[in-house]
């Protein structure tokens, strides 16, 4: 990056942002200063800043706004946010730096008080009357701040309204923590450029990803604790089905197993909520005001989960429903009151700032990458060095995939170019994969559904692209589970990694020792001289638990290979299958898994 002097910094109060990351109160963070330098050097009409949730996009934007106002480049500021609550949050943040924004302004209101230097709107409000907002934008030299700008692509009508309303703006500053989308609606005022494959992708003017923010101690390291278990349900046709959450299943069966797990009347949710509360108690030993959030699918489930938490903790959690007028006030109260739990549907999925949230339960059937990233973003904001975040989630492949790729930076891809006749089939395969990855299964299968029973088992921890756990599932409440639930709430990212590896190796050592003792006893009892197959014999007669351990070892090596080379996990697995043969890892034999493990270790030593 070329050397440039950043614009004059405003005098930020040590209380702003109210709960700044460790070491940053009273000054701008390094990334904010660098982004401001880039902005000042270029003076662009449009600027897209992509920064991981919790990094401080609001502080950056308000600093830009104050600088442009002080230099009279602009006369007014318009902030556009996804929700009503975020309008108020922006107005409160702006007030702390001496900038008055009207969060009650609407297109029908016309004028606003002369005490305000700007207004805060929602994307829906802009779409309702874009002409009124265009007229206001034309009357003044205006800076438009588009918060979480990907929402402008939620519908073609919204995008067109945003473009119509703010095309005359003097400056436009677009912000997002999650620029990628699953549709092909272009986002207004965002630049797209063809990649190496010819497919247009969004181009950010400044990017500050999760991995960089984690290294800078701006965000917390995130532990994902995955829970599986046996599920039973009855289908529309009256068939009773039993399956294990996390096993390879069809899209419909996976969706049904997930719905069964999330049923508050079963045993899975109470067990996971109890485990999450134990984790929260451990975190609160080091971070006394740490809070937890359960993200529910719908209001009925949210209320039911709240009742379960009341039974578990003895305290009533805060319940936030998006259609309640008091929702914003409830969130604000929870932010400050130090209580343990909040339960919400979608109200706290994006942008809402509750920095004390440290433990989450992902109890929703929504599984798109965008929503998942937004939900995780509620937990990553660091207030002081060493805080960790823990998110409990079902062992569903799509969610585990999102968790394993938390550090991957994405852009908004507009579409896929078909280059030749053979590529038509590749495009069709891609569309099929996208369809299979959608959150909902067929309505025909899920229309009439009855969950009959469920149980939870601790499966594994996902962290930094690796997987840590035991040989197969373990009982909730066991000492093996507490190996991970009891991880201290204040640890540096590398300390978390070292502790997980230590506990994994200690457990493996104890298990291996017990296995050797059992094998010796069996050999002594039978008087057998053995099969002569040496070290490979146990793998050829592996149990389902041993196969699971081998698959996890392979997945861990593939994850490490990704961090080393940047090659996506799926491509690495495909390459291993091509060289070693055999079916996908979920159906591979012990011999086939051994060959792949040996092959990727060979790659690592040669690389």
């Amino acid at each position: 990056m070329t050397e440039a002097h950043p614009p004059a910094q405003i005098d930020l109060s040590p209380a702003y942002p109210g709960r700044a990351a460790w070491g940053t109160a009273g000054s701008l963070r390094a990334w904010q200063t660098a982004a401001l330098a880039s902005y000042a050097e270029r003076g662009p009409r449009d600027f897209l800043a992509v920064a991981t949730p919790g990094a401080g996009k609001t502080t950056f934007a308000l600093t830009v706004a104050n600088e442009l106002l002080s230099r009279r480049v602009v006369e007014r500021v318009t902030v556009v946010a996804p929700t009503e609550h975020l309008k108020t949050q922006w107005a409160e943040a702006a007030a702390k730096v001496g900038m008055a924004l009207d969060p009650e302004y609407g297109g029908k209101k016309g004028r606003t008080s002369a005490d305000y230097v700007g207004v805060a709107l929602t994307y829906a409000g802009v779409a309702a009357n874009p002409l009124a907002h265009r007229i206001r934008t034309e009357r003044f030299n205006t800076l438009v701040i588009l918060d979480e700008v990907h929402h402008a692509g939620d519908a073609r009508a919204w995008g067109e309204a945003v473009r119509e309303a703010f095309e005359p703006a003097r400056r436009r500053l677009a912000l997002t923590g999650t620029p990628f989308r699953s549709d092909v609606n272009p986002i207004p005022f965002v630049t797209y450029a063809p990649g190496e494959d010819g497919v247009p992708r969004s181009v950010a003017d400044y990017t500050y990803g999760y991995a960089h923010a984690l290294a800078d101690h701006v965000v917390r390291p995130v532990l994902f604790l995955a829970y599986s278990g046996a599920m039973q349900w009855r289908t529309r046709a009256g068939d009773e089905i039993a399956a294990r959450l996390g096993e390879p299943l069809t899209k419909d069966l996976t969706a049904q197993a997930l719905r069964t797990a999330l049923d508050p009347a079963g045993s899975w949710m109470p067990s996971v909520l109890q485990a999450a509360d134990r984790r929260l108690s451990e975190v609160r030993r080091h971070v006394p005001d740490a809070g937890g959030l359960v993200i529910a699918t719908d209001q009925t489930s949210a209320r039911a989960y709240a009742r379960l938490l009341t039974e578990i903790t003895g305290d009533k959690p805060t319940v936030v429903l998006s259609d309640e007028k008091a929702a914003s006030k409830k969130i604000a109260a929870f932010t400050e009151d130090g209580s343990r739990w909040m339960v919400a549907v979608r109200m706290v999925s994006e942008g809402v700032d509750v920095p004390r949230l440290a433990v989450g339960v992902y109890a929703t059937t929504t599984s798109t990458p965008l929503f998942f990233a937004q939900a995780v973003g509620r937990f990553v904001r660091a207030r002081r060095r060493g805080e960790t975040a823990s998110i409990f989630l079902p062992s569903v492949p799509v969610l585990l995939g999102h968790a394993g790729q938390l550090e991957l930076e994405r852009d908004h891809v507009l579409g896929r170019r078909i280059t030749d006749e053979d590529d038509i089939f590749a495009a069709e395969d891609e569309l099929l994969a996208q369809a299979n990855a959608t959150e909902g299964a067929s309505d025909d299968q899920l229309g009439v559904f009855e969950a009959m029973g469920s149980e939870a088992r601790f499966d594994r921890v996902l962290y930094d692209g690796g997987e840590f756990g035991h040989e197969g599932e373990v009982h909730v409440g066991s000492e093996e589970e507490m190996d991970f639930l009891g991880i201290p709430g204040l640890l540096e990212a590398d300390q978390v990694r070292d502790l997980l590896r230590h506990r994994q190796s200690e457990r493996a050592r104890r298990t291996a020792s017990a296995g050797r003792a059992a094998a010796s006893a069996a050999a002594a009892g039978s008087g057998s001289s053995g099969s002569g197959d040496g070290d490979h014999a146990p793998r050829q007669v592996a149990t389902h638990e041993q196969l699971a351990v081998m698959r996890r070892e392979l997945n861990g090596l593939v994850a490490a290979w990704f961090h080393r080379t940047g090659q996506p996990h799926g491509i690495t697995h495909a390459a291993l299958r091509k060289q070693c043969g055999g079916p996908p890892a979920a159906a591979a034999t012990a011999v086939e898994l051994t060959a792949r493990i040996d092959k990727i270790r060979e790659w690592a030593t040669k690389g």
Side-chain angles (χ1 to χ4, degrees), residues 46 57 88 97-98 102 107 150 192 211 265 272 306 378 393-394 407 424 431 440 460 485 502 510 512 549 570 585:
D46 288 297
K57 293 185 293 294
T88 303
V97 293
D102 182 2
H150 52 270
Y192 291 85
V272 171
R378 300 316 100 218
L393 47 76
E407 298 180 17
I424 293 175
L431 291 173
R460 67 191 102 163
L485 296 186
H502 173 73
R510 292 196 300 268
V549 171

Side-chain angles (χ1 to χ4, degrees), residues 249-266:
L249 300 170
T250 66
K251 180 184 69 173
D252 283 336
L253 290 178
T254 296
Q256 292 167 10
L258 177 58
R259 286 184 64 183
T260 302
L262 300 183
D263 180 15

